[in-house]
Amino acid sequence: MASSGEEPRSGSPGRAGTGTEPAADAAQLDTGEDFEVLEEEEEDDEDDLSELPPLEDVGRPPAPPREDAQPPEQGAGDAGGDPQEWLDVLGNGLLKKKTLVPGKGADSRPQKGQDVTIRLKATLEDGTVVEEDPALTFTLGDCDVLQALDLCVQLLEMGETALIVSEAKYCYGAQGRSPDIPPNASLTLEVELLAARDAPDLELLSGKEKIQLANRKRERGNFFYQQADYVLAINSYDIALRIVGSSSKVDFSPDEEAELLDVKVKCLNNLAASQLKLDHFKAALKSCNLVLEHQPGNIKALFRKGKVLAQQGEYREAIPILKAALKLEPSNKTIHAELSKLVKKHADQRNVETEMYRKMLGNPSAASTPRKCKDKLPWSIPWKWLFGATAIALGGVALSVVIAARN
């Protein structure tokens, strides 16, 4: 969103995850850096996750929605409201919208891809105000903000003020937002649509503007990754990559070009992390290879590529890739552990294959003792029989030649 030209504001429900994560998670994720996928299923595998920025344990599955949730009977501008006025946005009762002040008509509703500006007030169920923003600007449909906002603002008319009641699923989920929004908290959002305009032309953005915009989308992807919503994380990283890869009519400095490449590499690394979470191995492998095209020595991309190949059972291909990563960073305990595990799995795989071949070829126990050729065959032909048959055949040919000559 180059329209505002500002970095995401810490603590805003409408902004990217910067500054909104729980303290414990924030220590593990620097949103200015890419992160690593290091989750191990084996209980006895005690990897040292300090070697690569770990994010595997920050995403917790969203809590099941509360089916008994109801919109508040009273709220800002909602005293004595008729429940029939509530619009069930998704049809599941978890996200509802109610108009408080009508707008300028359905024709004035914003479109996806536009930059919209809203006035926002967010409160908990007990009435505690957790956010107020007089002019929050974001790109509609890009998942730059809470899903509750992204879904409902599309339904607002220009100048309309509405009340939105959302379950945690479409807000901050099971993690909440430290310190003011507890886990699994529903939010009531009072929203007024102030403006909507077309997003800026990417071709006309300066290098600095393009970098800021791409980073904002990437940080939003990091936020979704923390929420264990890997589909939305992938969406945000894809948007960031489209911004970085878009053509430009503006000349960039060498430093800006280098910074754009750095953003691209981070997005691809994070994209591979999310794709791995969804078992999209082919896509993850492609993302890793794109990183390695730009930076053949990128340890995170090498590590993830090895992980992808290992997940597919390609241990022979994965082992040299992890060895290359370990050569670049010999003290990395995580790579050491992963490589040791793959070497063992590869050895087990080879043993299984060897046993299978032995069964296919017969009893291997006596294979080490040379046998005479005739012992290998279940039958044998006496030599005199062979010579006799040959003589008969030759005699027949000779007789045929003589008969033909006489005729």
Side-chain angles (χ1 to χ4, degrees):
M1 294 166 303
S3 57
S4 63
E6 298 178 356
E7 290 298 322
R9 201 161 52 79
S10 175
S12 169
R15 295 296 189 182
T18 309
T20 65
E21 299 83 359
D25 293 343
Q28 294 177 322
L29 169 62
D30 176 359
T31 53
E33 298 294 337
D34 50 348
F35 50 85
E36 195 52 80
V37 169
L38 302 177
E39 184 177 40
E40 302 299 339
E41 295 181 358
E42 291 79 6
E43 295 181 357
D44 58 347
D45 194 346
E46 297 180 356
D47 287 348
D48 180 0
L49 302 185
S50 64
E51 298 294 335
L52 292 171
L55 267 193
E56 291 297 340
D57 55 348
V58 301
R60 294 184 290 272
R66 288 166 37 195
E67 300 295 339
D68 59 342
Q70 296 293 333
E73 295 182 0
Q74 292 186 347
D78 186 38
D82 183 357
Q84 297 295 329
E85 297 176 6
W86 286 96
L87 171 65
D88 190 347
V89 176
L90 299 176
N92 58 8
L94 305 182
L95 181 63
K96 298 188 178 184
K97 168 190 171 290
K98 182 178 186 178
T99 298
L100 302 179
V101 178
K104 297 180 180 179
D107 292 341
S108 65
R109 289 176 179 171
Q111 303 296 316
K112 286 186 178 181
Q114 288 188 314
D115 284 349
V116 297
T117 301
I118 63 171
R119 175 183 63 81
L120 172 68
K121 180 180 179 182
T123 60
L124 298 175
E125 289 180 303
D126 63 3
T128 303
V129 178
V130 292
E131 184 64 34
E132 285 189 278
D133 194 325
L136 174 63
T137 299
F138 60 93
T139 303
L140 191 61
D142 274 11
C143 300
D144 291 339
V145 292
L146 299 179
Q147 283 184 274
L149 284 175
D150 213 20
L151 293 168
C152 291
V153 170
Q154 301 177 42
L155 305 176
L156 295 182
E157 301 170 1
M158 190 59 60
E160 178 182 349
T161 299
L163 204 62
I164 299 168
V165 176
S166 173
E167 283 292 295
K169 180 177 182 179
Y170 304 111
C171 295
Y172 286 96
Q175 291 199 23
R177 187 189 72 183
S178 180
D180 52 355
I181 300 178
N184 303 313
S186 299
L187 289 181
T188 299
L189 310 171
E190 184 180 310
V191 181
E192 180 184 2
L193 180 58
L194 302 176
R197 56 189 175 278
D198 291 338
D201 188 343
L202 295 179
E203 292 186 340
L204 301 179
L205 293 180
S206 67
K208 182 179 179 180
E209 289 173 329
K210 183 172 281 192
I211 291 166
Q212 288 178 342
L213 180 58
N215 268 325
R216 196 169 295 134
K217 306 296 184 181
R218 178 179 61 83
E219 289 167 0
R220 189 62 181 170
N222 292 356
F223 169 78
F224 284 125
Y225 187 98
Q226 284 190 309
Q227 299 293 326
D229 197 333
Y230 308 115
V231 172
L232 289 182
I234 288 173
N235 177 72
S236 294
Y237 296 137
D238 279 338
I239 293 173
L241 288 168
R242 286 201 298 270
I243 293 169
V244 171
S246 62
S247 59
S248 178
K249 297 178 180 178
V250 180
D251 293 331
F252 299 153
S253 69
D255 288 343
E256 289 172 336
E257 292 283 4
E259 194 167 353
L260 280 170
L261 177 59
D262 183 59
V263 175
K264 179 179 181 179
V265 167
K266 289 176 180 177
C267 286
L268 286 169
N269 263 329
N270 293 356
L271 181 61
S274 303
Q275 290 163 337
L276 264 172
K277 280 290 192 179
L278 297 175
D279 293 338
H280 295 170
F281 300 129
K282 185 176 180 180
L285 187 61
K286 180 179 178 181
S287 298
C288 293
N289 286 334
L290 287 173
V291 173
L292 296 173
E293 286 180 9
H294 296 291
Q295 298 179 358
N298 188 291
I299 295 177
K300 291 181 175 66
L302 287 170
F303 181 84
R304 281 201 188 92
K305 184 174 181 178
K307 292 274 288 185
V308 172
L309 292 171
Q311 291 280 3
Q312 295 177 304
E314 303 291 343
Y315 303 128
R316 183 178 300 176
E317 290 78 7
I319 288 173
I321 292 174
L322 290 180
K323 285 182 177 179
L326 191 60
K327 186 177 181 180
L328 293 170
E329 195 170 322
S331 62
N332 192 299
K333 295 180 181 179
T334 300
I335 301 177
H336 265 293
E338 183 69 17
L339 184 57
S340 298
K341 182 176 65 176
L342 291 190
V343 169
K344 182 179 182 303
K345 286 185 176 181
H346 187 215
D348 293 341
Q349 184 185 60
R350 292 179 63 183
N351 290 337
V352 171
E353 290 176 352
T354 300
E355 184 63 25
M356 180 183 67
Y357 293 146
R358 285 178 178 176
K359 290 180 178 180
M360 290 173 61
L361 297 175
N363 182 14
S365 59
S368 58
T369 303
R371 294 182 178 184
K372 294 182 180 180
C373 182
K374 66 178 183 178
D375 293 336
K376 294 182 179 180
L377 300 176
W379 45 266
S380 60
I381 302 176
W383 288 108
K384 61 181 181 179
W385 289 10
L386 180 61
F387 285 128
T390 303
I392 293 172
L394 291 175
V397 172
L399 180 60
S400 298
V401 171
V402 172
I403 295 173
R406 288 181 177 182
N407 294 334

